[in-house]
Amino acid sequence: MALPTVLMPGPMNRSVPAGLDGRFEVIRLWETDDPDAVLAERAKDIVAVANAGTPIDGAFLDRLPALQLIANFGVGYDKIDANAAADRGVVVTNTPGVLDDEVADTALGLLLMTVRQLPQAERFLRAGHWQERSYPLTPTTLRGRTMGVVGLGRIGEAIAHRAEAFGISVAYHNRHRKDVAYRYYPTLLELATAVDILTIVVPGGDETKHLVNAEVLAALGPDGILINVARGSVVDEAALVDALRNKTILGAGLDVFEHEPEVHPGLLEVDNAVLLPHVGSASVPTRDAMGGLVVANLVSWFDHGVPVTPVPESADLVRRGDG
């Protein structure tokens, strides 16, 4: 019996092709001389896509009439039009859970680096200045601070637990109140006014684009720290640059950017921003686990007709069993 055909538009973590080998026929589209011709020729055979960052919209979906499942590598899937997929009976999955701790660790690392100016201190040492004078005292500390978590999902809760271990009080803003001990604020502006650390963990997409704007940054205030380990599009980067330059807020720690890998030049110019190249989940064990979940979703779907981790937009398809 022929193996199910999976389209892989671009390179993926080693664990994905290794896990698919022998169970699926894999079309490595980026290795072909004429991707459009390959898609046209094999369109009726392709029943799944293993995807890592390639935009997938309705037009792309319409080219694959036999498609049943898109297995996304990552928790965020804003580059996939999941509603368009659901309209066409295509299930979308992602990789939640396996990267929570790694991303939460990165968020706390960014916070420590930003508050205590650790990157600046290291640059000071490497430049040889310690031979001449001591590094200046940092103007602030973690002590007595309150963190506001925007998006108290799995990763948000993991960040909150770590913050508590550092003696930081926690509050949050969600679309809906959760059964947790943390104080809830019904609007982002109210949360920003009440805290001095604002940590962003919401998905990207049109609904959250520029959710953190100039008004929110002003509410965070001159002792405020912004941490973003979610999606760069959630923050208005031009407003953030102005806030950092004008000391509207104290600093920012960013692992994601609005047009990555391009970084707003203003962010590169200011010294009160710590910038990382989207490495939140970028450890070998975590990326292998993410790849393993991509494979598990594909195997479970074609063996049992049920994916392991469907996204919310696919819930009705999974319940009906007619993906």
Side-chain angles (χ1 to χ4, degrees):
M1 187 173 68
L3 297 175
T5 301
V6 175
L7 176 69
M8 194 179 293
M12 297 187 72
N13 177 272
R14 61 185 185 179
S15 58
V16 178
L20 297 180
D21 187 38
R23 297 178 175 182
F24 299 90
E25 177 196 7
V26 179
I27 298 174
R28 293 168 169 80
L29 193 62
W30 78 97
E31 294 181 350
T32 63
D33 293 331
D34 190 341
D36 285 331
V38 171
L39 279 180
E41 180 182 350
R42 300 298 309 277
K44 293 181 179 179
D45 303 323
I46 295 168
V47 291
V49 175
N51 193 58
T54 298
I56 296 179
D57 57 12
F60 187 95
L61 293 166
D62 288 339
R63 300 177 70 180
L64 304 175
L67 190 64
Q68 300 176 30
L69 182 85
I70 301 169
N72 184 63
F73 182 88
V75 174
Y77 53 95
D78 44 294
K79 290 190 176 181
I80 299 171
D81 190 336
N83 288 310
D87 290 342
R88 291 161 176 79
V90 177
V91 172
V92 177
T93 66
N94 63 344
T95 60
V98 294
L99 50 73
D100 298 353
D101 287 332
E102 209 76 81
V103 176
D105 290 347
T106 301
L108 266 293
L110 277 169
L111 178 59
L112 287 167
M113 293 166 74
T114 304
V115 171
R116 291 300 314 279
Q117 299 181 353
L118 299 184
Q120 296 93 321
E122 189 201 25
R123 292 194 292 269
F124 177 89
L125 180 150
R126 287 182 180 276
H129 298 317
W130 197 19
Q131 307 300 322
E132 306 160 2
R133 62 191 185 280
S134 297
Y135 186 78
L137 301 179
T138 53
T140 188
T141 177
L142 284 181
R143 309 286 77 76
R145 284 185 171 270
T146 300
M147 175 185 287
V149 179
V150 186
L152 198 69
R154 291 185 181 93
I155 296 174
E157 288 194 4
I159 292 171
H161 293 158
R162 284 160 173 75
E164 287 184 297
F166 279 90
I168 300 170
S169 300
V170 176
Y172 74 103
H173 166 66
N174 256 16
R175 282 178 295 181
H176 307 290
R177 186 190 296 267
K178 299 188 70 173
D179 185 18
V180 293
Y182 311 131
R183 185 167 183 179
Y184 172 71
Y185 288 87
T187 70
L188 176 55
L189 195 60
E190 289 176 279
L191 178 69
T193 303
V195 303
D196 46 27
I197 303 166
L198 196 63
T199 301
I200 311 302
V201 211
V202 295
D206 292 339
E207 290 185 5
T208 59
K209 183 175 175 63
H210 290 184
L211 187 67
V212 178
N213 55 23
E215 186 180 17
V216 171
L217 293 168
L220 186 57
D223 291 325
I225 300 287
L226 177 73
I227 303 294
N228 190 5
V229 291
R231 285 291 185 266
S233 60
V234 178
V235 177
D236 182 340
E237 283 190 353
L240 176 59
V241 169
D242 286 343
L244 291 167
R245 283 175 173 163
N246 300 327
K247 302 299 190 291
T248 303
I249 64 172
L250 184 67
L254 310 173
D255 185 44
V256 291
F257 303 89
E258 192 165 0
H259 303 293
E260 58 187 53
E262 300 293 329
V263 177
H264 193 297
L267 291 172
L268 299 173
E269 295 168 0
V270 296
D271 198 42
N272 52 343
V274 177
L275 312 174
L276 300 180
H278 203 154
V279 296
S281 65
S283 72
V284 170
T286 295
R287 290 292 173 87
D288 282 351
M290 292 165 63
L293 190 47
V294 169
V295 173
N297 273 297
L298 287 162
V299 170
S300 182
W301 178 256
F302 287 102
D303 283 0
H304 308 294
V306 180
V308 180
T309 51
V311 303
E313 292 88 343
S314 298
D316 286 343
L317 295 175
V318 173
R319 280 194 291 267
R320 292 199 307 263
D322 59 357

